[in-house]
Amino acid sequence: DAKTTQPPSMDCAEGRAANLPCNHSTISGNEYVYWYRQIHSQGPQYIIHGLKNNETNEMASLITTEDRKSSTLILPHATLRDTAVYYCIVREGGGSYIPTFGRGTSLIVHP
Amino acid sequence: NAGVTQTPKFQVLKTGQSMTLQCAQDMNHEYMSWYRQDPGMGLRLIHYSVGAGITDQGEVPNGYNVSRSTTEDFPLRLLSAAPSQTSVYFCASSYPAGGLDTQYFGPGTRLTVL
């Protein structure tokens, strides 16, 4: 699987958009980008995933560059409850797969 | 659905004791896995299972055993607890819909080994 690089920490003002970057320069054509987050002391929670196109759901948007070497998770209107560690994972579609998690980005949303 | 449940929530053991962490899911998911998370660290995969009767090792399997006799349950056994096993343990399950599975995590078990 392609490795990912994320900044260790970021902060954002409440109500503003939080843009969390992820570098995956060795990603291959059949690998997807997944995002999870972990709010303090809880189990990780799935947010969104995508292959090539930009994706949006009720939680966030995932913007992927045309060469697919990097992506950005966007929380359009961050709230204090979005304070969490965000994990970017790259994995192949299909087959048996259990993801491994790195250290992620610690996002702090402040008033 | 209750989702993924884990028991106990907290546990204190003495070095050398054994115990089983319980994990159950009611979503009929094929895949189940165990992770541990140490302070300030990401999650590390201990063992996983892609179906009843099938298990495999993850990144840090030493000192742990698993079995999967039913789809619903995936217990993690600590054979002889050591202080290095003090951690938070998360169980997860997923169903590979078209190969694009998303994982559901339990609330965690906080284990301290003295």
Side-chain angles (χ1 to χ4, degrees), chain B residues 85-103:
Chain B
Q85 293 179 304
T86 293
S87 191
V88 181
Y89 292 83
F90 290 102
C91 178
S93 74
S94 61
Y95 179 75
L100 299 179
D101 54 293
T102 61
Q103 290 202 311

Side-chain angles (χ1 to χ4, degrees), chain A residues 32 34 36 38 41-46 49 87 91-103, chain B residues 31-33 35 37 40-43 45 48-50 59 90 98-103 105-107 110:
Chain A
Y32 289 74
Y34 276 71
Y36 286 79
Q38 186 177 23
S41 298
Q42 298 180 21
Q45 174 191 26
Y46 164 80
H49 73 275
Y87 298 98
R91 58 145 295 184
E92 285 187 19
S96 304
Y97 183 85
I98 304 291
T100 56
F101 292 76
R103 293 200 181 191
Chain B
Y31 295 177
M32 296 186 74
S33 50
Y35 295 83
Q37 186 172 36
M41 304 286 287
L43 289 88
L45 182 64
Y48 65 96
S49 168
V50 299
E59 303 169 79
F90 290 102
L100 299 179
D101 54 293
T102 61
Q103 290 202 311
F105 283 81
R110 283 143 187 82

Side-chain angles (χ1 to χ4, degrees), chain A residues 5-76:
Chain A
T5 304
Q6 298 178 253
S9 63
M10 297 182 65
D11 70 283
C12 172
E14 190 177 20
R16 304 296 292 268
N19 299 299
L20 293 97
C22 180
N23 243 314
H24 32 79
S25 57
T26 59
I27 194 170
S28 63
N30 64 343
E31 288 183 312
Y32 289 74
V33 178
Y34 276 71
W35 284 85
Y36 286 79
R37 74 178 182 184
Q38 186 177 23
I39 296 171
H40 181 62
S41 298
Q42 298 180 21
Q45 174 191 26
Y46 164 80
I47 302 173
I48 198 168
H49 73 275
L51 181 62
K52 296 179 184 177
N53 299 326
N54 297 335
E55 302 288 345
T56 296
N57 63 20
E58 65 278 4
M59 290 183 68
S61 295
L62 173 60
I63 309 298
T64 305
T65 57
E66 194 166 336
D67 62 8
R68 301 191 65 238
K69 293 185 177 181
S70 67
S71 59
T72 301
L73 179 74
I74 300 174
L75 309 177

Side-chain angles (χ1 to χ4, degrees), chain B residues 30-102:
Chain B
E30 290 182 53
Y31 295 177
M32 296 186 74
S33 50
W34 277 101
Y35 295 83
R36 61 175 287 175
Q37 186 172 36
D38 301 323
M41 304 286 287
L43 289 88
R44 291 186 291 171
L45 182 64
I46 305 172
H47 285 285
Y48 65 96
S49 168
V50 299
I54 306 169
T55 64
D56 207 345
Q57 296 181 349
E59 303 169 79
V60 289
N62 292 341
Y64 307 95
N65 271 359
V66 292
S67 60
R68 184 100 179 268
S69 55
T70 67
T71 300
E72 295 77 20
D73 301 296
F74 191 44
L76 178 72
R77 297 183 190 85
L78 277 70
L79 309 172
S80 176
S84 60
Q85 293 179 304
T86 293
S87 191
V88 181
Y89 292 83
F90 290 102
C91 178
S93 74
S94 61
Y95 179 75
L100 299 179
D101 54 293
T102 61

